[in-house]
Amino acid sequence: MSVAPRSNIAFPVVVTVAVCLGAAATLLVLALSGAPGTTLLATALAALPVGPVLAAYLWLDRYEPEPRVLLASGLAWGAFVATMAAVFVQGLGGLLVGMTDTFSLAVVAPVVEEASKGLFLVLLLWWRRAEIDGILDGIVYAGMVGIGFAFTENILYLASAYNGTEGMGPGGVGAVTGTFVLRCVFSPFAHPLFTAFIGIGVGLAVGSRSGAVRVLAPVGGYLLAVLTHGLWNGSTVFGFGSFVLVYLVIMAPAFIGMVALAWWARETEAHLLRVALTDAARRGLLPATDIGWVVNLRGRRAARRYARQHGGPEAERAMRQYQQAAIELGFLHHRLLRGTAPADWQPRGQHFLGRIQAARPRIAFPGQVVPQQ
């Protein structure tokens, strides 16, 4: 009987325990924050931007879809662990040190919140390095954590606005409407954007052969996340004019730049994957004629549609399994060629090859004869 590596066991155990503790703390905080009706209203409003933002990150992730359980873990970590860790540390710091609200908002909050969010990415880098193939994966995982964090934080802010507590104004519908527009309409990507810098650093660390880069890239990403977060929070302290200035001069260009970087990373990964699979085909690991149906997104969809039309749901499922295994093999082969493969690259490669060999006889690409099931 095979025994799972300790890293495979440690990661889900640590994340699950932390999420359960964070969820319990979150429920306690929400129960103490106001009437149940107010909490339900705040939760409903906070959930509205989650769908579109989540869809945008899943669209980025469709080239090489990450394991759904890891994406869900990132969301849960952001929503429960990172949020409650930030609330606890900032509250404890306020009691012990007596910081001003402005200093806490502009300095302490960015430092603590980005550390609590970035910890999930560090755990991935430490225990699940093989799941991160580059910058795009780092951005996607950071996005999941940021979406979860923003969701819970927005609930707390919206509830406080409605109740008129913690300096959120007179309360009522007007206050909650203003908070909703500011946080959920104008800046739903704020937290994912800040943490994306950490994700980029983690992605660079995974793909580098330099020991210094592997350490400094995540640290540099964290510092950039804190800087942008601090500028954003600080702008709200000095009035609406400062907020608009930071929004237009810093946040909007940073968001556009991040989108452009994610697009470039996806296109670059397509090229790298094609080169790696071409080399793998020369070594006899898969047919060279299959590469276009795996690498090209339109070709991938066409192959699945063809399989469904000529072989039914079972054939489409086999096509998906084959394409996913080939993609995973391609990225692993690319890292092997670069000299940055994970320590367990051999069993992982054999696993992918086994899936490819099991699925290939059951599929046919457009123009080929569909095997009889």
Side-chain angles (χ1 to χ4, degrees):
M1 186 177 78
S2 62
V3 179
R6 288 186 179 181
S7 61
N8 290 346
I9 298 173
F11 181 82
V13 168
V14 170
V15 171
T16 300
V17 170
V19 167
C20 289
L21 293 175
T26 302
L27 291 175
L28 178 61
V29 169
L30 292 177
L32 297 175
S33 64
T38 301
T39 301
L40 289 176
L41 173 63
T43 302
L45 291 175
L48 291 177
V50 170
V53 178
L54 184 61
Y57 277 92
L58 292 179
W59 179 84
L60 278 180
D61 188 45
R62 58 189 186 141
Y63 200 91
E64 185 229 349
E66 297 303 309
R68 289 294 184 254
V69 66
L70 289 183
L71 296 180
S73 297
L75 278 171
W77 183 279
F80 301 125
V81 182
T83 311
M84 288 302 103
V87 168
F88 176 77
V89 173
Q90 291 178 68
L92 184 63
L95 290 174
L96 297 179
V97 182
M99 299 170 293
T100 65
D101 291 342
T102 299
F103 183 81
S104 177
L105 181 66
V107 178
V108 178
V111 170
V112 174
E113 291 176 9
E114 294 311 318
S116 63
K117 289 186 289 180
L119 181 58
F120 180 80
L121 296 167
V122 172
L123 294 178
L124 274 178
L125 183 62
W126 185 260
W127 279 325
R128 291 294 181 89
R129 181 186 297 263
E131 298 292 350
I132 305 176
D133 292 309
I135 291 175
L136 188 59
D137 287 353
I139 292 175
V140 169
Y141 281 118
M144 294 298 109
V145 179
I147 292 169
F149 187 95
F151 172 65
T152 302
E153 188 182 59
N154 284 343
I155 294 175
L156 298 175
Y157 270 94
L158 289 165
S160 296
Y162 190 85
N163 293 328
T165 58
E166 299 185 14
M168 297 294 289
V173 175
V176 79
T177 300
T179 302
F180 174 79
V181 171
L182 177 64
R183 299 186 63 87
C184 300
V185 177
F186 280 103
S187 57
F189 284 95
H191 276 290
L193 175 63
F194 304 146
T195 314
F197 287 107
I198 304 176
I200 292 171
V202 168
L204 291 173
V206 167
S208 176
R209 291 183 290 250
S210 169
V213 172
R214 292 181 179 182
V215 174
L216 294 178
V219 173
Y222 168 72
L223 294 177
L224 284 173
V226 171
L227 176 62
T228 53
H229 195 160
L231 289 172
W232 175 256
N233 282 7
S235 70
T236 63
V237 176
F238 300 104
F240 185 72
S242 298
F243 169 77
V244 172
L245 180 64
V246 170
Y247 189 91
L248 294 178
V249 175
I250 298 177
M251 295 302 296
F255 175 73
I256 294 172
M258 192 65 68
V259 172
L261 176 62
W263 182 272
W264 171 84
R266 202 177 77 166
E267 295 302 309
T268 300
E269 286 189 352
H271 172 71
L272 296 178
L273 184 59
R274 185 180 295 275
V275 170
L277 286 178
T278 299
D279 185 82
R282 284 198 296 265
R283 300 169 189 262
L285 302 183
L286 79 169
T289 53
D290 294 358
I291 295 176
W293 303 110
V294 171
V295 175
N296 184 274
L297 286 175
R298 290 183 180 178
R300 195 187 301 179
R301 291 193 297 270
R304 292 173 181 174
R305 185 167 56 249
Y306 180 85
R308 182 175 63 253
Q309 291 171 350
H310 293 82
E314 193 65 32
E316 182 184 14
R317 190 176 302 111
M319 179 65 75
R320 288 180 178 275
Q321 292 170 353
Y322 177 82
Q323 290 174 332
Q324 184 63 31
I327 291 168
E328 297 284 1
L329 178 67
F331 279 111
L332 179 64
H333 195 66
H334 165 69
R335 293 177 63 180
L336 180 62
L337 294 175
R338 277 185 52 85
T340 59
D344 62 344
W345 67 268
Q346 287 181 310
R348 290 179 66 85
Q350 289 298 324
H351 172 68
F352 298 144
L353 283 175
R355 289 167 54 190
I356 288 172
Q357 292 165 1
R360 188 62 181 86
R362 297 183 288 133
I363 65 172
F365 294 103
Q368 299 176 353
V369 178
V370 179
Q372 295 298 319
Q373 300 295 327

